[in-house]
Amino acid sequence: MSVKLRELIRLVRQCKTAAEERAVVAKECAAIRNAFKQNDVSLRHRNVAKLLFIHMLGYPTHFGQMECLKLISGVHYPEKRIGYLGLTLLMDEKQEVLMLVTNSLKNDLNSKNQFIIGLALCALGNIASAEMCRDLAPEVERLLGNSSAFVRKKAALCCIRIIKKVPELLENIVEPSMQLLRDRHHGVLVASMQLFYNMLEASPELVPKFRAHVNDLVRVLKSLVLSGFTPDHDVSGLTDPFLQIKTLRLLQVLAAGDTQASDQMSDILAQVATNIEGSKNAGNAVLYECVQTIMGVESIGGLRVLAINILGRFLANRDNNIRYVALNMLAKVVAVDTKAVQRHRNTIVNCVKDSDVSIRRRALDLVYALVNENNITTLTKELIEYLVVSDMEFKADLTDKICSLVNRYAPDKRWHIDTLTQVLSQAGAFAKSDQARWLVILISNAPDLQAYA
């Protein structure tokens, strides 16, 4: 006689050794197999639920696959729920038995019960094979216009799986999905933003067509940024940061290399950058995505300065993760607007002395990128001071970088000789022979400074 799921969990938890656990599981699997052979319909869903628990423990449960299909073909929601859960956990798209469920999925996608439709869409979105996607794509496309927001959201997510498995079906999904941009339900909008992003990733030639809807995206973002407190979507004082981030990411793709689209979104990007509070993680996430969007589109200089100033504020944050992503982003944008990044030079140099090794490495890379003819003397002095106290694994690379910068930007030969001498004396055994040879060649080529040297 098999036990209830709760009792099985209790028995497993009471086991003190792996051998005891195996014995409990083997006994229960035997009871479940026996119940399956007797075709006990009343307890089928309970037995499959126990199989799912046993599967989570790492034991083989393949003998329950057909029972999942039987539950799915049932008429009641509780049975279907366990059946679909078993389908997604116990099978994958490579198993031939999965083709047997295609007809049941089609029937459930045409059900009048939105929750049954939702179960079918979840299963299809998780384990659908290319053949299943081809067979069921028309039903999913139709559900994008369903009256229920619950169904529309799941249909949009299911479409992501379809275009990944069968890219040629993408053109059939584009038109039905466009209407989702005007949806008022946040869940539908989040799913649709991800769907559009995947579409553009799979088929970049669709970008010009989607650019016609930039104003719709700007309207969505503006409603989120300027709306008052909405308890249903509030996260740390922010209105649905998940939707804001996905909208910003999609805007970045659409406006890259297009001046007109960039101009359409410049006002809302400035509002996001100035109105979002960065005291909480949710706000920092939105601000970081906003910075990425500003730097990824054809934005005006003032907007780029605003974005770099946000990264400057990130550098002053106590959270090492936030400081790291700020340094990472600054390293990418330093070539775009070096002057704006130079304003935060002191903060960046302070990061070189941070206790976190990953932040030190990132800060050093950024300092190297910031060095030019105007600041070579100041930054070299800072780097030499750090060379004295730096960790052993840093010294060789740091010495090499300082010598490279000095050789490239030295303002005069005397300073060049003084600085290389100082670096080599501080580096000691960590200096390469090539660097000493450079100093010798430099002195040889400066007869008037040989006595000084």
Side-chain angles (χ1 to χ4, degrees):
M1 178 66 181
S2 70
V3 297
K4 292 182 179 179
L5 174 60
R6 187 175 296 177
E7 180 64 18
L8 174 61
I9 294 171
R10 190 183 64 80
L11 289 172
V12 168
R13 284 180 174 174
Q14 285 179 345
C15 295
K16 294 180 180 178
T17 63
E20 284 182 33
E21 183 184 285
R22 287 195 295 271
V24 170
V25 170
K27 181 180 178 182
E28 190 57 37
C29 284
I32 292 171
R33 277 196 184 91
N34 189 46
F36 287 163
K37 286 178 184 176
Q38 294 174 2
N39 202 23
D40 190 348
V41 178
S42 61
L43 296 177
R44 182 179 289 151
H45 67 283
R46 191 175 83 180
N47 287 328
V48 171
K50 287 188 289 185
L51 270 187
L52 297 183
F53 174 67
I54 291 169
H55 172 76
M56 290 165 65
L57 293 174
Y59 296 94
T61 54
H62 55 277
F63 60 89
Q65 291 177 350
M66 291 306 297
E67 301 304 312
C68 293
L69 303 189
K70 291 176 184 177
L71 285 173
I72 290 170
S73 61
V75 294
H76 301 296
Y77 175 76
E79 293 176 353
K80 284 183 177 291
R81 183 176 60 179
I82 294 294
Y84 276 116
L85 184 59
L87 183 76
T88 54
L89 286 175
L90 304 183
M91 299 186 211
D92 58 49
E93 60 183 278
K94 297 177 183 177
Q95 294 179 348
E96 293 181 5
V97 71
L98 198 61
M99 293 304 296
L100 300 173
V101 83
T102 304
N103 192 54
S104 296
L105 277 166
K106 189 168 186 176
N107 292 334
D108 288 342
L109 289 173
N110 289 301
S111 172
K112 293 181 180 179
N113 186 331
Q114 64 171 348
F115 299 110
I116 289 177
I117 297 173
L119 290 175
L121 287 170
C122 275
L124 193 60
N126 278 295
I127 61 166
S129 60
E131 292 77 12
M132 290 173 71
C133 288
R134 288 190 184 92
D135 293 339
L136 299 172
E139 274 72 25
V140 178
E141 292 164 25
R142 177 180 53 79
L143 291 172
L144 288 171
N146 193 278
S147 59
S148 167
F150 175 80
V151 172
R152 292 197 302 275
K153 174 183 69 175
K154 291 186 178 292
L157 293 172
C158 190
C159 285
I160 295 173
R161 175 81 176 192
I162 292 173
I163 63 176
K164 282 182 178 178
K165 289 294 171 185
V166 193
E168 58 265 28
L169 292 176
L170 188 149
E171 58 185 21
N172 301 331
I173 296 172
V174 173
E175 290 303 328
S177 63
M178 285 295 187
Q179 61 190 337
L180 299 177
L181 273 174
R182 296 179 177 84
D183 208 295
R184 292 183 174 276
H185 191 276
H186 283 225
V188 176
L189 285 170
V190 169
S192 62
M193 296 297 175
Q194 188 61 49
L195 172 60
F196 297 145
Y197 187 83
N198 282 69
M199 281 181 174
L200 297 176
E201 198 174 41
S203 184
E205 62 271 14
L206 287 172
V207 170
K209 184 173 185 176
F210 275 84
R211 278 188 184 134
H213 298 276
V214 165
N215 282 329
D216 291 324
L217 294 171
V218 169
R219 176 184 50 79
V220 170
L221 193 54
K222 188 174 287 187
S223 68
L224 294 170
V225 175
L226 303 180
S227 66
F229 175 74
T230 50
D232 290 345
H233 308 112
D234 181 77
V235 179
S236 300
L238 234 66
T239 303
D240 204 342
F242 305 102
L243 181 53
Q244 290 190 46
I245 287 170
K246 289 191 180 294
T247 308
L248 286 165
R249 196 168 292 170
L250 188 56
L251 284 172
Q252 181 184 348
V253 175
L254 294 177
D258 188 272
T259 307
Q260 185 180 354
S262 300
D263 289 342
Q264 286 176 284
M265 64 182 71
S266 59
D267 286 346
I268 188 59
L269 291 177
Q271 287 175 345
V272 172
T274 53
N275 291 349
I276 299 296
E277 180 61 45
S279 58
K280 300 284 179 67
N281 271 348
N284 286 325
V286 175
L287 285 173
Y288 180 69
E289 198 63 47
C290 181
V291 169
Q292 283 196 307
T293 304
I294 291 170
M295 303 311 295
V297 305
E298 304 299 311
S299 54
I300 57 175
L303 208 52
R304 285 201 299 269
V305 170
L306 183 60
I308 291 170
N309 288 342
I310 290 171
L311 294 175
R313 292 207 307 270
F314 281 0
L315 290 178
N317 199 296
R318 292 182 180 179
D319 191 324
N320 282 354
N321 295 320
I322 293 173
R323 294 163 71 198
Y324 182 83
V325 297
L327 289 166
N328 204 31
M329 191 65 190
L330 284 168
K332 293 176 183 176
V333 305
V334 67
V336 179
D337 198 337
T338 309
K339 190 176 179 181
V341 180
Q342 288 280 7
R343 295 194 188 101
H344 304 282
R345 193 175 66 203
N346 292 336
T347 313
I348 295 166
V349 170
N350 286 335
C351 289
V352 171
K353 302 162 187 172
D354 196 87
S355 57
D356 190 304
V357 63
S358 58
I359 289 178
R360 288 205 303 273
R361 287 187 186 278
R362 270 286 163 224
L364 280 170
D365 290 341
L366 188 52
V367 169
Y368 300 147
L370 286 175
V371 175
N372 57 34
E373 296 88 348
N374 299 321
N375 59 26
I376 180 67
T377 54
T378 307
L379 286 180
T380 302
K381 183 182 177 184
E382 293 277 359
L383 290 172
I384 292 173
E385 286 177 3
Y386 176 65
L387 177 62
V388 177
V389 297
S390 63
D391 297 334
M392 293 297 179
E393 66 268 21
F394 272 105
K395 285 187 182 293
D397 184 47
L398 185 56
T399 303
D400 190 43
K401 290 284 178 63
I402 296 173
C403 289
S404 174
L405 293 172
V406 169
N407 290 333
R408 189 189 308 174
Y409 297 114
D412 57 68
K413 288 185 177 180
R414 183 164 183 158
W415 182 89
H416 197 166
I417 292 170
D418 286 345
T419 307
L420 279 181
T421 305
Q422 188 179 2
V423 172
L424 294 176
S425 63
Q426 293 292 351
F430 293 99
K432 296 177 182 176
S433 58
D434 287 347
Q435 291 154 0
R437 185 167 58 84
W438 265 105
L439 180 59
V440 172
I441 293 171
L442 179 64
I443 295 171
S444 300
N445 293 335
D448 54 325
L449 292 174
Q450 286 175 1
Y452 170 75

